[in-house]
Amino acid sequence: MNCCVVGLQWGDEGKGKVVDILAENSDVVVRYSGGANAGHTVVIGEEKFALHIMPSGAVRKKTCCVIGNGVVVDPGILIDEIEGLDKRNISLDDRLFISENAHVVLDYHKAEDQHRENALGKNKIGTTIRGIGPCYADKIGRSFAVRMADFRNVDSLKEKLKKIVDYKNKVFAALYKAEPIDANNIFKQCVVFAEKLKPYITNTTKYLHESIDAGKSILFEGAQGALLDIDHGTFPFVTSSNASALGMSPGCGVPARLVDKFIGVVKAYSTRVGAGPFPSEQDNEIGQTIREKGNEYGTTTGRPRRCGWFDAIAVKYTVAIGGVNEIAMMHLDTLAGFDELKICKAYRINGTETTFFPSDAVELSSVECIYETMPGWHEDLSGVTSYDQLPQTTKNYIAAIENIVKIPVTMVGVGPKRSQAICKS
Ligand code: GDP
Ligand code: IMO
Ligand code: MG
């Protein structure tokens, strides 16, 4: 069985936890998009792992880990992750495979990300400043791109970097009056990166197809969420990759036809970090309560997440574009304590009702949510171990969402730990 796990909202849905659970029965876990903008959390008992580039399957010692061609790799962060896991007695030796075609994030990408955000002022996107947009822009532009394969030949990389940094410095000086970046420093960093990462760099497309031919089960780990997809999300307040399920194939070279199941992860409410429209946002006491109860602060940047009611129109849309089969709904425990809960079941745009999500940021900013109001529950769900034990009000809430998005919720989360997930049989 090959499965793909994707976020169906604006990221941070709990993909790391779901991937870790499914990795128990997977031979290989593949990250195929995004970079260190992601922060995926795995909690096992009292131990916590926050992974940014490394697939969440890494914490299971027998699982092979692939970083696909679609990922933008910040080598310093990846090396820290490899060494950090090693210190915790989790070795990646002989089980980490990094695509030679994956693009490399270097310091000038992060500088450019920061300069651009500063220049945008109040119109900024609210990026993670991890250099994601500038690195993907260089990939598409081709002339100034550095790929993992370049670490195999540092002499030619040295020449390449001179040209790239010379160009970047001209742009940075002209547009942002920025201090120049030293190409030699970047090169010196790259020599260290190359030395440490070379053993893992390979043709991951070949590795994946050979694994599939050998009957191994592959788990594909999405990053971000479908509403942050560069083509189908709330542009320009998106990330720079296809963060919906549609990014899986180009990001690792495996066609969707070979994936048996697409599992979409959602929270039982909605959150968003950074700027951009968020129709069901509760910028009030309700949002504040969700944030504190759900510990809604960014895994990567520590920023407080904006919180709101579950938007079933947005999720119905991301299910449709991603061909998603089932839903894993996390954070049901967080919603305990509200007398009433709301689910957005339609939008009103200029007086007209619609149930189709308009991804255009301007149009989306003007929508008014039409809510279904449901009774809440006060029971503490954190110790619930089977679906039957859930209060009827919780089951009704899940059923109301299923009724709108038209696919089943097959897993629910009642706490951050690996053990706090229940499968609906
Ligand atoms: P990801 O980016 O989709 O992997 O999600 P993050 O790790 O950024 O954010 C999800 C947060 O919610 C993490 O702190 C998880 O430990 C936590 N979490 C996941 N599932 C649950 C759940 O069912 N209940 C609660 N209370 N926390 C959860
Ligand atoms: P995971 O995988 C939540 C958001 C940023 C910003 C926008 C663009 O943990 O779910 P970028 O740095 O990518 O150029 O920022 O996208 N963003 C995320 N939000 N979770 C993520 O990843 C995110 N990755 C990017 O906050 O609004
Ligand atoms: Mg996250």
Side-chain angles (χ1 to χ4, degrees), residues 10-13 15 37-40 113 125-133 222-225 228 237-240 272-275 299-300 303 305:
W10 281 285
D12 302 328
E13 297 89 349
K15 299 174 292 294
N37 48 351
H40 295 182
D113 205 351
I125 294 167
T127 76
T128 56
I129 318 289
R130 293 297 188 271
I132 306 299
Q224 287 76 56
L228 291 171
F237 302 101
V238 291
T239 190
S240 300
R272 173 166 207 165
V273 218
T299 310
T300 298
R303 290 178 291 177
R305 295 177 183 143

PDB file of all heavy atoms in Angstrom, residues 10-13 15 37-40 113 125-133 222-225 228 237-240 272-275 299-300 303 305, ligand 2:
ATOM      1  N   TRP A  10      -4.085  25.462   5.932  1.00  0.00           N
ATOM      2  CA  TRP A  10      -2.934  26.355   5.678  1.00  0.00           C
ATOM      3  C   TRP A  10      -1.672  25.841   6.370  1.00  0.00           C
ATOM      4  O   TRP A  10      -0.856  26.620   6.839  1.00  0.00           O
ATOM      5  CB  TRP A  10      -3.264  27.776   6.139  1.00  0.00           C
ATOM      6  CG  TRP A  10      -4.110  28.554   5.189  1.00  0.00           C
ATOM      7  CD1 TRP A  10      -3.714  29.114   4.013  1.00  0.00           C
ATOM      8  CD2 TRP A  10      -5.491  28.892   5.330  1.00  0.00           C
ATOM      9  NE1 TRP A  10      -4.767  29.768   3.409  1.00  0.00           N
ATOM     10  CE2 TRP A  10      -5.866  29.656   4.196  1.00  0.00           C
ATOM     11  CE3 TRP A  10      -6.454  28.629   6.308  1.00  0.00           C
ATOM     12  CZ2 TRP A  10      -7.150  30.160   4.014  1.00  0.00           C
ATOM     13  CZ3 TRP A  10      -7.731  29.129   6.125  1.00  0.00           C
ATOM     14  CH2 TRP A  10      -8.074  29.875   4.991  1.00  0.00           C
ATOM     15  N   GLY A  11      -1.514  24.528   6.466  1.00  0.00           N
ATOM     16  CA  GLY A  11      -0.329  23.965   7.104  1.00  0.00           C
ATOM     17  C   GLY A  11      -0.549  23.708   8.582  1.00  0.00           C
ATOM     18  O   GLY A  11      -1.575  24.091   9.164  1.00  0.00           O
ATOM     19  N   ASP A  12       0.402  22.963   9.174  1.00  0.00           N
ATOM     20  CA  ASP A  12       0.397  22.659  10.614  1.00  0.00           C
ATOM     21  C   ASP A  12      -0.819  21.874  11.072  1.00  0.00           C
ATOM     22  O   ASP A  12      -1.260  21.994  12.219  1.00  0.00           O
ATOM     23  CB  ASP A  12       0.503  23.968  11.447  1.00  0.00           C
ATOM     24  CG  ASP A  12       1.745  24.754  11.095  1.00  0.00           C
ATOM     25  OD1 ASP A  12       2.757  24.139  10.748  1.00  0.00           O
ATOM     26  OD2 ASP A  12       1.686  25.999  11.154  1.00  0.00           O
ATOM     27  N   GLU A  13      -1.352  21.055  10.199  1.00  0.00           N
ATOM     28  CA  GLU A  13      -2.568  20.296  10.529  1.00  0.00           C
ATOM     29  C   GLU A  13      -2.271  19.116  11.457  1.00  0.00           C
ATOM     30  O   GLU A  13      -3.188  18.553  12.064  1.00  0.00           O
ATOM     31  CB  GLU A  13      -3.227  19.770   9.242  1.00  0.00           C
ATOM     32  CG  GLU A  13      -3.712  20.845   8.273  1.00  0.00           C
ATOM     33  CD  GLU A  13      -2.644  21.269   7.266  1.00  0.00           C
ATOM     34  OE1 GLU A  13      -1.465  20.890   7.438  1.00  0.00           O
ATOM     35  OE2 GLU A  13      -2.986  21.993   6.313  1.00  0.00           O
ATOM     36  N   LYS A  15       0.463  16.832  10.212  1.00  0.00           N
ATOM     37  CA  LYS A  15       0.957  15.848   9.233  1.00  0.00           C
ATOM     38  C   LYS A  15       2.079  14.985   9.823  1.00  0.00           C
ATOM     39  O   LYS A  15       2.131  13.777   9.587  1.00  0.00           O
ATOM     40  CB  LYS A  15       1.486  16.572   7.972  1.00  0.00           C
ATOM     41  CG  LYS A  15       0.429  17.394   7.249  1.00  0.00           C
ATOM     42  CD  LYS A  15       1.030  18.187   6.111  1.00  0.00           C
ATOM     43  CE  LYS A  15       1.954  19.291   6.536  1.00  0.00           C
ATOM     44  NZ  LYS A  15       1.326  20.396   7.288  1.00  0.00           N
ATOM     45  N   ASN A  37      10.856  25.680   5.688  1.00  0.00           N
ATOM     46  CA  ASN A  37       9.672  26.432   6.130  1.00  0.00           C
ATOM     47  C   ASN A  37       8.728  25.501   6.897  1.00  0.00           C
ATOM     48  O   ASN A  37       7.931  25.938   7.713  1.00  0.00           O
ATOM     49  CB  ASN A  37       8.937  27.082   4.933  1.00  0.00           C
ATOM     50  CG  ASN A  37       8.695  26.141   3.764  1.00  0.00           C
ATOM     51  OD1 ASN A  37       9.210  25.029   3.734  1.00  0.00           O
ATOM     52  ND2 ASN A  37       7.930  26.587   2.788  1.00  0.00           N
ATOM     53  N   ALA A  38       8.816  24.209   6.619  1.00  0.00           N
ATOM     54  CA  ALA A  38       7.975  23.225   7.303  1.00  0.00           C
ATOM     55  C   ALA A  38       8.494  22.967   8.715  1.00  0.00           C
ATOM     56  O   ALA A  38       9.689  23.080   8.978  1.00  0.00           O
ATOM     57  CB  ALA A  38       7.960  21.916   6.520  1.00  0.00           C
ATOM     58  N   GLY A  39       7.590  22.614   9.598  1.00  0.00           N
ATOM     59  CA  GLY A  39       7.960  22.159  10.933  1.00  0.00           C
ATOM     60  C   GLY A  39       6.980  21.065  11.293  1.00  0.00           C
ATOM     61  O   GLY A  39       5.795  21.342  11.474  1.00  0.00           O
ATOM     62  N   HIS A  40       7.443  19.826  11.300  1.00  0.00           N
ATOM     63  CA  HIS A  40       6.558  18.686  11.542  1.00  0.00           C
ATOM     64  C   HIS A  40       6.888  18.072  12.896  1.00  0.00           C
ATOM     65  O   HIS A  40       8.029  17.698  13.144  1.00  0.00           O
ATOM     66  CB  HIS A  40       6.715  17.645  10.423  1.00  0.00           C
ATOM     67  CG  HIS A  40       6.252  18.154   9.082  1.00  0.00           C
ATOM     68  ND1 HIS A  40       6.264  17.392   7.939  1.00  0.00           N
ATOM     69  CD2 HIS A  40       5.745  19.359   8.710  1.00  0.00           C
ATOM     70  CE1 HIS A  40       5.790  18.114   6.924  1.00  0.00           C
ATOM     71  NE2 HIS A  40       5.478  19.310   7.372  1.00  0.00           N
ATOM     72  N   ASP A 113      14.968  36.744   0.795  1.00  0.00           N
ATOM     73  CA  ASP A 113      13.641  36.570   1.387  1.00  0.00           C
ATOM     74  C   ASP A 113      13.380  37.726   2.368  1.00  0.00           C
ATOM     75  O   ASP A 113      12.315  38.373   2.328  1.00  0.00           O
ATOM     76  CB  ASP A 113      13.628  35.215   2.134  1.00  0.00           C
ATOM     77  CG  ASP A 113      12.243  34.616   2.289  1.00  0.00           C
ATOM     78  OD1 ASP A 113      11.260  35.304   1.985  1.00  0.00           O
ATOM     79  OD2 ASP A 113      12.146  33.455   2.745  1.00  0.00           O
ATOM     80  N   ILE A 125       4.187  39.088   2.817  1.00  0.00           N
ATOM     81  CA  ILE A 125       3.504  37.789   2.789  1.00  0.00           C
ATOM     82  C   ILE A 125       3.526  37.150   4.180  1.00  0.00           C
ATOM     83  O   ILE A 125       2.641  36.387   4.536  1.00  0.00           O
ATOM     84  CB  ILE A 125       4.187  36.867   1.740  1.00  0.00           C
ATOM     85  CG1 ILE A 125       3.984  37.445   0.335  1.00  0.00           C
ATOM     86  CG2 ILE A 125       3.682  35.433   1.819  1.00  0.00           C
ATOM     87  CD1 ILE A 125       4.860  36.819  -0.730  1.00  0.00           C
ATOM     88  N   GLY A 126       4.566  37.497   4.942  1.00  0.00           N
ATOM     89  CA  GLY A 126       4.724  36.841   6.251  1.00  0.00           C
ATOM     90  C   GLY A 126       5.412  35.500   6.083  1.00  0.00           C
ATOM     91  O   GLY A 126       5.023  34.503   6.700  1.00  0.00           O
ATOM     92  N   THR A 127       6.434  35.465   5.214  1.00  0.00           N
ATOM     93  CA  THR A 127       7.128  34.197   4.970  1.00  0.00           C
ATOM     94  C   THR A 127       7.911  33.779   6.210  1.00  0.00           C
ATOM     95  O   THR A 127       8.059  34.552   7.164  1.00  0.00           O
ATOM     96  CB  THR A 127       8.131  34.294   3.789  1.00  0.00           C
ATOM     97  OG1 THR A 127       9.295  35.003   4.231  1.00  0.00           O
ATOM     98  CG2 THR A 127       7.535  34.981   2.576  1.00  0.00           C
ATOM     99  N   THR A 128       8.466  32.588   6.135  1.00  0.00           N
ATOM    100  CA  THR A 128       9.254  32.070   7.257  1.00  0.00           C
ATOM    101  C   THR A 128      10.710  32.560   7.179  1.00  0.00           C
ATOM    102  O   THR A 128      11.513  32.218   8.056  1.00  0.00           O
ATOM    103  CB  THR A 128       9.269  30.523   7.223  1.00  0.00           C
ATOM    104  OG1 THR A 128       9.780  30.112   5.949  1.00  0.00           O
ATOM    105  CG2 THR A 128       7.878  29.950   7.410  1.00  0.00           C
ATOM    106  N   ILE A 129      11.047  33.325   6.130  1.00  0.00           N
ATOM    107  CA  ILE A 129      12.432  33.819   5.898  1.00  0.00           C
ATOM    108  C   ILE A 129      13.418  32.642   5.821  1.00  0.00           C
ATOM    109  O   ILE A 129      14.570  32.739   6.235  1.00  0.00           O
ATOM    110  CB  ILE A 129      12.886  34.857   6.967  1.00  0.00           C
ATOM    111  CG1 ILE A 129      11.770  35.842   7.305  1.00  0.00           C
ATOM    112  CG2 ILE A 129      14.125  35.619   6.524  1.00  0.00           C
ATOM    113  CD1 ILE A 129      11.431  36.856   6.236  1.00  0.00           C
ATOM    114  N   ARG A 130      12.958  31.531   5.313  1.00  0.00           N
ATOM    115  CA  ARG A 130      13.867  30.384   5.148  1.00  0.00           C
ATOM    116  C   ARG A 130      14.427  30.326   3.719  1.00  0.00           C
ATOM    117  O   ARG A 130      15.004  29.324   3.313  1.00  0.00           O
ATOM    118  CB  ARG A 130      13.131  29.073   5.469  1.00  0.00           C
ATOM    119  CG  ARG A 130      12.732  28.913   6.919  1.00  0.00           C
ATOM    120  CD  ARG A 130      13.966  28.866   7.822  1.00  0.00           C
ATOM    121  NE  ARG A 130      13.619  28.531   9.203  1.00  0.00           N
ATOM    122  CZ  ARG A 130      13.288  29.422  10.145  1.00  0.00           C
ATOM    123  NH1 ARG A 130      13.254  30.704   9.866  1.00  0.00           N
ATOM    124  NH2 ARG A 130      13.011  29.023  11.380  1.00  0.00           N
ATOM    125  N   GLY A 131      14.212  31.377   2.929  1.00  0.00           N
ATOM    126  CA  GLY A 131      14.795  31.425   1.576  1.00  0.00           C
ATOM    127  C   GLY A 131      14.040  30.593   0.553  1.00  0.00           C
ATOM    128  O   GLY A 131      14.554  30.304  -0.540  1.00  0.00           O
ATOM    129  N   ILE A 132      12.811  30.214   0.889  1.00  0.00           N
ATOM    130  CA  ILE A 132      12.064  29.276   0.053  1.00  0.00           C
ATOM    131  C   ILE A 132      11.721  29.890  -1.317  1.00  0.00           C
ATOM    132  O   ILE A 132      12.057  29.320  -2.363  1.00  0.00           O
ATOM    133  CB  ILE A 132      10.768  28.827   0.779  1.00  0.00           C
ATOM    134  CG1 ILE A 132      11.096  28.258   2.172  1.00  0.00           C
ATOM    135  CG2 ILE A 132       9.964  27.856  -0.073  1.00  0.00           C
ATOM    136  CD1 ILE A 132      11.979  27.051   2.196  1.00  0.00           C
ATOM    137  N   GLY A 133      11.060  31.055  -1.298  1.00  0.00           N
ATOM    138  CA  GLY A 133      10.656  31.699  -2.554  1.00  0.00           C
ATOM    139  C   GLY A 133      11.855  31.978  -3.459  1.00  0.00           C
ATOM    140  O   GLY A 133      11.860  31.600  -4.640  1.00  0.00           O
ATOM    141  N   GLY A 222       3.525  15.145   2.563  1.00  0.00           N
ATOM    142  CA  GLY A 222       3.367  16.508   2.077  1.00  0.00           C
ATOM    143  C   GLY A 222       3.860  17.514   3.100  1.00  0.00           C
ATOM    144  O   GLY A 222       3.927  17.223   4.294  1.00  0.00           O
ATOM    145  N   ALA A 223       4.198  18.689   2.632  1.00  0.00           N
ATOM    146  CA  ALA A 223       4.540  19.790   3.531  1.00  0.00           C
ATOM    147  C   ALA A 223       3.568  20.931   3.255  1.00  0.00           C
ATOM    148  O   ALA A 223       2.884  20.954   2.227  1.00  0.00           O
ATOM    149  CB  ALA A 223       5.972  20.243   3.308  1.00  0.00           C
ATOM    150  N   GLN A 224       3.496  21.863   4.181  1.00  0.00           N
ATOM    151  CA  GLN A 224       2.546  22.984   4.110  1.00  0.00           C
ATOM    152  C   GLN A 224       1.112  22.445   3.975  1.00  0.00           C
ATOM    153  O   GLN A 224       0.845  21.342   4.417  1.00  0.00           O
ATOM    154  CB  GLN A 224       2.881  23.921   2.933  1.00  0.00           C
ATOM    155  CG  GLN A 224       4.129  24.784   3.149  1.00  0.00           C
ATOM    156  CD  GLN A 224       5.436  24.053   2.982  1.00  0.00           C
ATOM    157  OE1 GLN A 224       5.695  23.449   1.949  1.00  0.00           O
ATOM    158  NE2 GLN A 224       6.287  24.100   3.986  1.00  0.00           N
ATOM    159  N   GLY A 225       0.241  23.223   3.339  1.00  0.00           N
ATOM    160  CA  GLY A 225      -1.139  22.783   3.182  1.00  0.00           C
ATOM    161  C   GLY A 225      -1.643  23.249   1.835  1.00  0.00           C
ATOM    162  O   GLY A 225      -1.091  24.194   1.239  1.00  0.00           O
ATOM    163  N   LEU A 228      -2.000  26.744   0.659  1.00  0.00           N
ATOM    164  CA  LEU A 228      -0.762  27.506   0.431  1.00  0.00           C
ATOM    165  C   LEU A 228      -0.127  27.119  -0.907  1.00  0.00           C
ATOM    166  O   LEU A 228       0.996  27.507  -1.208  1.00  0.00           O
ATOM    167  CB  LEU A 228       0.239  27.242   1.566  1.00  0.00           C
ATOM    168  CG  LEU A 228      -0.096  27.806   2.952  1.00  0.00           C
ATOM    169  CD1 LEU A 228       0.877  27.260   4.004  1.00  0.00           C
ATOM    170  CD2 LEU A 228      -0.046  29.326   2.945  1.00  0.00           C
ATOM    171  N   PHE A 237      -0.561  34.992  -1.086  1.00  0.00           N
ATOM    172  CA  PHE A 237      -0.246  34.596   0.294  1.00  0.00           C
ATOM    173  C   PHE A 237      -0.144  33.073   0.359  1.00  0.00           C
ATOM    174  O   PHE A 237      -0.982  32.396   0.973  1.00  0.00           O
ATOM    175  CB  PHE A 237      -1.305  35.163   1.245  1.00  0.00           C
ATOM    176  CG  PHE A 237      -1.402  36.666   1.145  1.00  0.00           C
ATOM    177  CD1 PHE A 237      -2.418  37.274   0.424  1.00  0.00           C
ATOM    178  CD2 PHE A 237      -0.425  37.466   1.726  1.00  0.00           C
ATOM    179  CE1 PHE A 237      -2.490  38.653   0.299  1.00  0.00           C
ATOM    180  CE2 PHE A 237      -0.480  38.846   1.602  1.00  0.00           C
ATOM    181  CZ  PHE A 237      -1.511  39.447   0.889  1.00  0.00           C
ATOM    182  N   VAL A 238       0.864  32.559  -0.300  1.00  0.00           N
ATOM    183  CA  VAL A 238       1.063  31.119  -0.448  1.00  0.00           C
ATOM    184  C   VAL A 238       2.555  30.844  -0.313  1.00  0.00           C
ATOM    185  O   VAL A 238       3.352  31.770  -0.202  1.00  0.00           O
ATOM    186  CB  VAL A 238       0.584  30.642  -1.847  1.00  0.00           C
ATOM    187  CG1 VAL A 238      -0.927  30.724  -1.974  1.00  0.00           C
ATOM    188  CG2 VAL A 238       1.254  31.445  -2.971  1.00  0.00           C
ATOM    189  N   THR A 239       2.917  29.587  -0.376  1.00  0.00           N
ATOM    190  CA  THR A 239       4.336  29.261  -0.455  1.00  0.00           C
ATOM    191  C   THR A 239       4.688  29.088  -1.938  1.00  0.00           C
ATOM    192  O   THR A 239       3.840  29.278  -2.814  1.00  0.00           O
ATOM    193  CB  THR A 239       4.665  28.021   0.407  1.00  0.00           C
ATOM    194  OG1 THR A 239       6.090  27.897   0.487  1.00  0.00           O
ATOM    195  CG2 THR A 239       4.047  26.748  -0.144  1.00  0.00           C
ATOM    196  N   SER A 240       5.934  28.727  -2.238  1.00  0.00           N
ATOM    197  CA  SER A 240       6.362  28.757  -3.647  1.00  0.00           C
ATOM    198  C   SER A 240       6.378  27.388  -4.312  1.00  0.00           C
ATOM    199  O   SER A 240       7.040  27.207  -5.336  1.00  0.00           O
ATOM    200  CB  SER A 240       7.736  29.412  -3.740  1.00  0.00           C
ATOM    201  OG  SER A 240       7.661  30.716  -3.236  1.00  0.00           O
ATOM    202  N   ARG A 272      -3.900  29.603  10.592  1.00  0.00           N
ATOM    203  CA  ARG A 272      -3.052  30.132   9.518  1.00  0.00           C
ATOM    204  C   ARG A 272      -1.931  30.953  10.163  1.00  0.00           C
ATOM    205  O   ARG A 272      -2.183  31.686  11.118  1.00  0.00           O
ATOM    206  CB  ARG A 272      -3.925  31.016   8.605  1.00  0.00           C
ATOM    207  CG  ARG A 272      -3.161  31.756   7.555  1.00  0.00           C
ATOM    208  CD  ARG A 272      -3.984  32.359   6.436  1.00  0.00           C
ATOM    209  NE  ARG A 272      -3.043  32.406   5.321  1.00  0.00           N
ATOM    210  CZ  ARG A 272      -3.320  32.588   4.066  1.00  0.00           C
ATOM    211  NH1 ARG A 272      -4.553  32.767   3.677  1.00  0.00           N
ATOM    212  NH2 ARG A 272      -2.387  32.586   3.153  1.00  0.00           N
ATOM    213  N   VAL A 273      -0.696  30.815   9.632  1.00  0.00           N
ATOM    214  CA  VAL A 273       0.405  31.699  10.081  1.00  0.00           C
ATOM    215  C   VAL A 273       0.775  32.574   8.899  1.00  0.00           C
ATOM    216  O   VAL A 273       0.794  32.100   7.767  1.00  0.00           O
ATOM    217  CB  VAL A 273       1.707  30.945  10.454  1.00  0.00           C
ATOM    218  CG1 VAL A 273       2.385  31.575  11.648  1.00  0.00           C
ATOM    219  CG2 VAL A 273       1.511  29.481  10.621  1.00  0.00           C
ATOM    220  N   GLY A 274       1.119  33.822   9.164  1.00  0.00           N
ATOM    221  CA  GLY A 274       1.451  34.725   8.069  1.00  0.00           C
ATOM    222  C   GLY A 274       0.202  35.444   7.596  1.00  0.00           C
ATOM    223  O   GLY A 274      -0.902  35.216   8.110  1.00  0.00           O
ATOM    224  N   ALA A 275       0.388  36.298   6.577  1.00  0.00           N
ATOM    225  CA  ALA A 275      -0.720  37.138   6.115  1.00  0.00           C
ATOM    226  C   ALA A 275      -1.618  36.391   5.125  1.00  0.00           C
ATOM    227  O   ALA A 275      -1.300  35.281   4.706  1.00  0.00           O
ATOM    228  CB  ALA A 275      -0.154  38.393   5.458  1.00  0.00           C
ATOM    229  N   THR A 299       5.762  25.935  14.709  1.00  0.00           N
ATOM    230  CA  THR A 299       6.835  24.985  15.008  1.00  0.00           C
ATOM    231  C   THR A 299       8.167  25.504  14.471  1.00  0.00           C
ATOM    232  O   THR A 299       9.221  25.233  15.031  1.00  0.00           O
ATOM    233  CB  THR A 299       6.506  23.622  14.341  1.00  0.00           C
ATOM    234  OG1 THR A 299       5.173  23.275  14.682  1.00  0.00           O
ATOM    235  CG2 THR A 299       7.430  22.515  14.777  1.00  0.00           C
ATOM    236  N   THR A 300       8.134  26.264  13.383  1.00  0.00           N
ATOM    237  CA  THR A 300       9.366  26.748  12.770  1.00  0.00           C
ATOM    238  C   THR A 300       9.734  28.140  13.265  1.00  0.00           C
ATOM    239  O   THR A 300      10.885  28.413  13.570  1.00  0.00           O
ATOM    240  CB  THR A 300       9.214  26.740  11.225  1.00  0.00           C
ATOM    241  OG1 THR A 300       9.009  25.387  10.822  1.00  0.00           O
ATOM    242  CG2 THR A 300      10.441  27.288  10.522  1.00  0.00           C
ATOM    243  N   ARG A 303       5.773  31.900  15.764  1.00  0.00           N
ATOM    244  CA  ARG A 303       4.745  32.953  15.663  1.00  0.00           C
ATOM    245  C   ARG A 303       3.388  32.424  16.141  1.00  0.00           C
ATOM    246  O   ARG A 303       3.061  31.264  15.895  1.00  0.00           O
ATOM    247  CB  ARG A 303       4.589  33.408  14.197  1.00  0.00           C
ATOM    248  CG  ARG A 303       5.769  34.193  13.664  1.00  0.00           C
ATOM    249  CD  ARG A 303       5.572  34.572  12.217  1.00  0.00           C
ATOM    250  NE  ARG A 303       5.634  33.416  11.333  1.00  0.00           N
ATOM    251  CZ  ARG A 303       5.434  33.476  10.016  1.00  0.00           C
ATOM    252  NH1 ARG A 303       5.150  34.622   9.438  1.00  0.00           N
ATOM    253  NH2 ARG A 303       5.529  32.389   9.274  1.00  0.00           N
ATOM    254  N   ARG A 305      -0.303  31.459  15.859  1.00  0.00           N
ATOM    255  CA  ARG A 305      -1.112  31.150  14.675  1.00  0.00           C
ATOM    256  C   ARG A 305      -2.471  31.826  14.807  1.00  0.00           C
ATOM    257  O   ARG A 305      -3.032  31.878  15.903  1.00  0.00           O
ATOM    258  CB  ARG A 305      -1.302  29.639  14.541  1.00  0.00           C
ATOM    259  CG  ARG A 305       0.011  28.901  14.271  1.00  0.00           C
ATOM    260  CD  ARG A 305      -0.204  27.377  14.225  1.00  0.00           C
ATOM    261  NE  ARG A 305       1.047  26.667  14.032  1.00  0.00           N
ATOM    262  CZ  ARG A 305       1.351  25.499  14.612  1.00  0.00           C
ATOM    263  NH1 ARG A 305       0.492  24.908  15.413  1.00  0.00           N
ATOM    264  NH2 ARG A 305       2.503  24.930  14.372  1.00  0.00           N
TER     265      ARG A 305
HETATM  266  P1  IMO B   2       4.145  22.831   7.600  1.00  0.00           P
HETATM  267  O1  IMO B   2       4.741  21.805   6.660  1.00  0.00           O
HETATM  268  C1  IMO B   2       2.262  26.736   8.120  1.00  0.00           C
HETATM  269  C2  IMO B   2       3.417  29.883   5.291  1.00  0.00           C
HETATM  270  C3  IMO B   2       4.184  31.040   5.896  1.00  0.00           C
HETATM  271  C4  IMO B   2       3.740  32.156   4.981  1.00  0.00           C
HETATM  272  C5  IMO B   2       3.653  31.469   3.611  1.00  0.00           C
HETATM  273  C6  IMO B   2       4.886  31.670   2.744  1.00  0.00           C
HETATM  274  O2  IMO B   2       4.756  22.840   8.943  1.00  0.00           O
HETATM  275  O3  IMO B   2       2.663  22.703   7.604  1.00  0.00           O
HETATM  276  P2  IMO B   2       7.351  30.665   2.826  1.00  0.00           P
HETATM  277  O4  IMO B   2       8.410  30.759   3.907  1.00  0.00           O
HETATM  278  O5  IMO B   2       6.969  29.275   2.488  1.00  0.00           O
HETATM  279  O6  IMO B   2       7.686  31.492   1.632  1.00  0.00           O
HETATM  280  O7  IMO B   2       6.056  31.385   3.500  1.00  0.00           O
HETATM  281  O8  IMO B   2       3.479  30.091   3.885  1.00  0.00           O
HETATM  282  N1  IMO B   2       4.007  28.540   5.561  1.00  0.00           N
HETATM  283  C7  IMO B   2       3.525  27.688   6.465  1.00  0.00           C
HETATM  284  N2  IMO B   2       2.505  27.818   7.339  1.00  0.00           N
HETATM  285  N3  IMO B   2       2.946  25.567   8.034  1.00  0.00           N
HETATM  286  C8  IMO B   2       3.934  25.413   7.140  1.00  0.00           C
HETATM  287  O9  IMO B   2       4.552  24.238   6.915  1.00  0.00           O
HETATM  288  C9  IMO B   2       4.298  26.516   6.319  1.00  0.00           C
HETATM  289  N4  IMO B   2       5.234  26.722   5.368  1.00  0.00           N
HETATM  290  C10 IMO B   2       5.026  27.955   4.895  1.00  0.00           C
HETATM  291  O10 IMO B   2       3.807  31.263   7.232  1.00  0.00           O
HETATM  292  O11 IMO B   2       2.441  32.575   5.321  1.00  0.00           O
END
